[in-house]
């Protein structure tokens, strides 16, 4: 287990460690039908990868992605990264960009030659994902997050990216926060090093996503502990299934009084904006909320009918968490510029449920690597977040 591996390493350091708050940002624009469809395609590949291929997906720019600032190198080079509990690698674009690589050209890029703390790794790096791939090399340098300098962190430098959805993304790269077991090339994730180097108190982090926040006040990620101001009541904890993704067993999913799934597996993923439903249950869930498919396969409900829609109940370790239509119906803009009401349930592409930001936005979520568990509690409304 994670705590057994690192406790001895951290014993002498932990007394001076920090509890850290990371302000989160999110795009300040309305989602579009096109981008919701792109997200659905991404999710289907993420948890149903091709055999013998490591899968890590990019997020779509116009969805409610929550991202924040880090720096890499000496002197610091600045990046915005998506904090993703559904993957385990840190990667950012790297200079020089190829003339044809629009995604690289439109984002901040890492320049190894400009950093005095860069260490040559001599290993190539590649991630295969549903609609393309990225490739480059591994580098080792100092990675700083909220003033905490992680020494000798290895990360991916993408010099070629073929995923079109990354071109308009508001963030530069991905900061993976799942377990090392699913990291490409078995690279040690940066959160591990934050703890083993004594920079945080405990191997625990938590997300508060401000669903009605602004682009610059989108919520807060805490590293090294939990902030009680961000939730109400008590936390309900559930053990993770095994150390890879943040995967748990859910007692049941029900829509009003109708049982949808009993003792099912779910992955808790901050990198997924919506709510993933297993492929064999997907159509049934859409029918249960009265959503109907348009000619493009999008599931919509009349916007004047949303207040009559049923409640989804997610029972976790004996506690019921509910999502109303205010939570799972997403106003989006269609190709004509009209606002339509789309179901926030998307096909996960496999047998698992995916509790994405639709769920995490309503319920403060704690990821505890020390005790191999996840905690949930109702998120505080209008909680204070950092500027």
């Amino acid at each position: 287990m994670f705590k057994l591996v690192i406790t001895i390493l951290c014993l002498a350091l932990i007394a001076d460690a920090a509890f850290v708050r990371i302000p989160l940002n999110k795009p300040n624009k309305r989602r579009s039908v096109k981008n919701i469809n792109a997200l659905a395609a991404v999710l289907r590949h993420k948890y149903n990868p091709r055999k013998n291929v490591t899968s890590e997906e990019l997020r779509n720019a116009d969805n409610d992605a929550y991202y924040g600032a880090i720096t890499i190198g000496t002197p610091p080079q600045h990046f915005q990264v998506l904090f993703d509990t559904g993957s385990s690698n840190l990667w950012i674009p790297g200079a020089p960009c190829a003339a044809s690589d629009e995604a690289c050209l439109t984002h901040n890029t890492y320049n190894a030659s400009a950093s005095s703390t860069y260490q040559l790794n001599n290993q190539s790096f590649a991630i295969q994902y549903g609609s393309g791939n990225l490739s480059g090399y591994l580098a080792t340098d100092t990675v700083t997050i909220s003033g905490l300098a992680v020494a000798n962190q290895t990360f991916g430098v993408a010099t070629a990216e073929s995923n079109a959805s990354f071109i308009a993304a508001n963030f530069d790269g991905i900061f993976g926060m799942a377990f090392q077991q699913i990291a490409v090339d078995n690279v040690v994730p940066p959160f591990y090093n934050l703890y083993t180097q004594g920079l945080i108190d405990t191997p625990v982090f938590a997300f508060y996503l401000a669903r009605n926040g602004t682009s610059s006040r989108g919520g807060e990620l805490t590293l090294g502990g939990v902030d009680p101001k961000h939730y109400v009541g008590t936390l309900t904890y559930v053990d993770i299934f095994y150390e890879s993704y943040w995967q748990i067993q859910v007692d049941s999913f029900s829509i009003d009084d109708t049982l949808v799934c009993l003792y099912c597996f779910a992955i808790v993923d901050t990198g997924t904006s919506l709510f993933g439903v297993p492929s064999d249950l997907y159509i049934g869930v859409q029918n249960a909320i009265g959503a109907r498919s348009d000619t493009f396969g999008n599931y919509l409900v009349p916007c004047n009918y949303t207040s009559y829609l049923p409640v989804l109940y997610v029972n976790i370790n004996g506690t019921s968490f509910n999502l109303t239509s205010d939570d799972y119906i997403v106003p989006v803009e269609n190709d004509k510029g009209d606002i339509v009401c789309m179901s926030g349930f998307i096909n996960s592409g496999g047998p698992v449920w995916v509790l994405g930001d639709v769920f995490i936005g309503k319920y403060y979520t704690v990821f505890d690597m020390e005790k191999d568990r996840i905690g949930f509690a109702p998120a505080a409304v209008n909680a204070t977040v950092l500027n």
Side-chain angles (χ1 to χ4, degrees):
M1 293 305 212
F2 183 84
K3 65 176 182 178
L4 296 177
V5 174
I6 61 181
T7 298
I8 295 175
L9 294 175
C10 300
L11 191 58
L13 298 171
I14 207 70
D16 296 323
F19 175 79
V20 183
R21 304 172 188 272
I22 313 298
L24 299 177
N25 308 306
K26 67 174 182 175
N28 191 22
K29 51 185 172 180
R30 187 174 295 279
R31 310 180 200 210
S32 70
V33 170
K34 179 180 178 181
N35 290 328
I36 293 290
N37 290 340
L39 174 65
V42 160
L43 186 61
R44 286 194 295 273
H45 286 283
K46 183 172 185 179
Y47 295 118
N48 190 28
R50 288 172 287 173
K51 291 182 179 179
N52 301 320
V53 176
T54 301
S55 178
E56 178 178 325
E57 295 298 341
L58 300 178
R59 280 26 170 211
N60 194 280
D62 290 339
N63 296 310
D64 281 346
Y66 291 83
Y67 52 92
I70 65 170
T71 66
I72 301 178
T74 308
Q77 301 175 38
H78 296 266
F79 303 94
Q80 294 287 333
V81 291
L82 175 68
F83 295 104
D84 180 19
T85 61
S87 66
S88 298
N89 286 86
L90 168 61
W91 67 263
I92 42 87
C97 300
S100 60
D101 191 345
E102 187 177 351
C104 180
L105 292 168
T106 55
H107 288 84
N108 295 323
T109 55
Y110 173 70
N111 185 350
S113 63
S115 174
S116 63
T117 45
Y118 162 71
Q119 299 175 43
L120 180 66
N121 189 283
N122 277 329
Q123 184 175 344
S124 60
F125 174 77
I127 296 178
Q128 190 78 28
Y129 48 93
S131 55
N133 59 73
L134 63 88
S135 61
Y137 62 92
L138 290 178
T140 300
D141 208 332
T142 298
V143 174
T144 302
I145 177 169
S146 194
L148 303 182
V150 180
N152 303 316
Q153 175 64 50
T154 298
F155 56 95
V157 180
T159 56
E161 304 158 70
S162 65
N163 189 292
S165 68
F166 188 64
I167 293 173
N170 295 71
F171 47 86
D172 303 305
I174 305 291
F175 190 106
M177 303 190 76
F179 291 89
Q180 186 178 356
Q181 283 85 334
I182 61 169
V184 175
D185 297 319
N186 199 36
V187 172
V188 178
F191 183 74
Y192 280 52
N193 285 330
L194 276 167
Y195 182 55
T196 58
Q197 294 180 21
L199 300 174
I200 55 176
D201 292 334
T202 57
V204 174
F205 58 90
F207 281 87
Y208 168 71
L209 306 183
R211 301 305 282 168
N212 296 317
T214 65
S215 59
S216 62
R217 295 171 67 87
E220 190 171 272
L221 163 64
T222 57
L223 303 174
V226 175
D227 189 344
K229 295 194 300 295
H230 287 329
Y231 66 91
V232 296
T234 59
L235 288 159
T236 294
Y237 283 99
V238 58
D239 292 340
I240 62 170
F241 190 60
Y242 53 84
E243 292 183 349
S244 58
Y245 296 107
W246 287 96
Q247 184 170 346
I248 60 174
Q249 180 174 279
V250 174
D251 298 342
S252 65
F253 290 89
S254 300
I255 295 179
D256 279 350
D257 295 328
T258 302
L259 180 67
V260 177
C261 185
L262 185 65
Y263 300 119
C264 336
F265 289 112
I267 292 171
V268 186
D269 183 3
T270 59
T272 294
S273 296
L274 302 179
F275 196 107
V277 178
S279 299
D280 60 337
L281 300 174
Y282 174 65
I283 301 300
V285 168
Q286 301 290 18
N287 290 338
I289 67 168
R292 296 294 178 261
S293 176
D294 64 12
T295 56
F296 301 101
N298 305 306
Y299 279 84
L300 307 175
V301 298
C303 289
N304 61 357
Y305 185 71
T306 56
S307 61
Y308 301 99
L309 299 185
V311 176
L312 173 69
Y313 294 96
V314 183
N315 192 289
I316 300 174
N317 202 15
T319 299
S320 182
F321 300 87
N322 70 75
L323 294 177
T324 68
S325 59
D326 288 339
D327 305 310
Y328 65 73
I329 295 299
V330 183
V332 297
E333 185 176 299
N334 64 18
D335 291 341
K336 298 178 181 179
D338 300 324
I339 303 304
V340 296
C341 290
M342 180 176 284
S343 167
F345 298 115
I346 54 176
N347 189 339
S348 71
V352 297
W353 296 76
V354 180
L355 307 186
D357 294 344
V358 162
F359 186 84
I360 299 169
K362 187 169 184 178
Y363 297 103
Y364 184 70
T365 304
V366 177
F367 299 82
D368 186 342
M369 280 189 170
E370 182 176 39
K371 297 181 179 179
D372 283 341
R373 62 182 185 171
I374 302 178
F376 304 98
V381 178
N382 298 323
T384 301
V385 296
L386 299 177
N387 289 314

